[in-house]
Amino acid sequence: MADIRANTVLPALRRDVTLHTADGLKLVGELALPVDAAPAATLVTLHPLPTQGGMMDSHLFRKAANRLPALARLAVLRFNTRGTESPQGRSEGEFGNGDSEKYDVAAALDLVEYENLPSPWLVGWSFGTDLALRYGCDPSVVGAVLISPPLRFSSEHELDGWAQSGKPLVAIVPELDDYLRPAEAEKRFGVVPQAKVIAVPKAKHLFVGFTETVLDAVVDAVVPGSAPLPRTWETGSEE
């Protein structure tokens, strides 16, 4: 048995994908699937602010793609929003300040439908949580998990839409966040009756050092009872 470490890559069927937006852009992405079973659900990840270094390889999403197909039987779709660059490449277009990115979210959901992937959940992080709230309350979406939601670009209108939808909404909020801390998050998300706020003591906005806590909360929201995830792996990991 080997401990699962920060750089551990567990077995999955991984391939590059291209997302096509309604306004004519091609976005760089990757789809990771369980090796020997159909996925139980699908995570559509929406990365932090690209003007501050956010991308599909931001550490929580890279580790989710590296671990969750094997540990939780989840499909993980990562992609760079318009104008964003990562080691996988640069998506076409330019940063749209959260406005034209509505086409990027739609393109991701189109790919989920095209690939016939089950039970899509949006998993936003920081800026990505605003994209999830603004553009993700789609009939095909089961629910959303919001990691470090700043609620900077979202309005009461979007929260009202989620409240009316009844779709699950889980906010994972660091105690020492730079933008929105747990007490204020409880108040802001109070307009969504089904929303759940999970406070993470001692954590900061980027959740460095809290990967396991965050991934446990994500998988437990999507497949209740599936946390905590294993911390070791027998064989087959690539490091």
Side-chain angles (χ1 to χ4, degrees):
M1 300 289 284
D3 291 339
I4 296 173
R5 302 194 297 267
N7 63 342
T8 299
V9 180
L10 297 179
L13 301 175
R14 297 183 176 88
R15 57 186 169 89
D16 295 337
V17 292
T18 301
L19 285 63
H20 299 269
T21 70
D23 59 344
L25 300 180
K26 295 179 181 179
L27 309 179
V28 172
E30 180 202 76
L31 179 62
L33 300 171
V35 170
D36 53 5
T42 304
L43 306 185
V44 179
T45 62
L46 302 170
H47 61 68
L49 194 65
T51 56
Q52 297 294 323
M55 57 178 172
M56 61 183 278
D57 259 336
S58 292
H59 81 99
L60 289 176
F61 289 163
R62 174 172 49 82
K63 293 167 186 173
N66 287 347
R67 302 179 193 183
L68 298 187
L71 296 181
R73 202 160 57 85
L74 297 176
V76 181
L77 173 62
R78 299 184 291 152
F79 68 98
N80 287 329
T81 56
R82 58 190 57 217
T84 302
E85 186 170 6
S86 74
Q88 285 83 355
R90 185 184 188 277
S91 289
E92 293 179 350
E94 301 296 334
F95 175 60
N97 204 40
D99 296 326
S100 51
E101 281 81 3
K102 65 183 178 182
Y103 300 116
D104 304 352
V105 176
L109 295 178
D110 285 345
L111 182 74
V112 168
E113 181 179 5
Y114 177 79
E115 296 281 348
N116 197 31
L117 297 171
S119 304
W121 281 72
L122 298 178
V123 182
W125 182 9
S126 193
F127 170 72
T129 66
D130 284 310
L131 298 185
L133 289 170
R134 294 177 70 185
Y135 310 124
C137 199
D138 182 270
S140 69
V141 170
V142 175
V145 181
L146 311 176
I147 303 169
S148 301
L151 294 179
R152 295 174 64 193
F153 297 92
S154 306
S155 69
E156 293 297 324
H157 173 74
E158 282 88 27
L159 291 175
D160 287 343
W162 281 91
Q164 293 171 19
S165 75
K167 295 177 184 291
L169 196 63
V170 177
I172 306 171
V173 182
E175 178 189 18
L176 305 178
D177 192 61
D178 298 320
Y179 304 102
L180 186 73
R181 296 191 174 187
E184 180 64 16
E186 290 278 5
K187 180 179 177 182
R188 295 285 301 276
F189 284 105
V191 299
V192 184
Q194 73 274 22
K196 179 181 180 182
V197 174
I198 299 174
V200 182
K202 301 182 180 180
K204 297 183 179 181
H205 189 72
L206 296 180
F207 277 113
V208 175
F210 291 85
T211 296
E212 287 73 20
T213 301
V214 174
L215 294 185
D216 279 350
V218 170
V219 300
D220 198 49
V222 174
V223 183
S226 59
L229 293 166
R231 304 301 196 239
T232 59
W233 185 258
E234 287 191 23
T235 58
S237 65
E238 306 164 11
E239 299 182 356

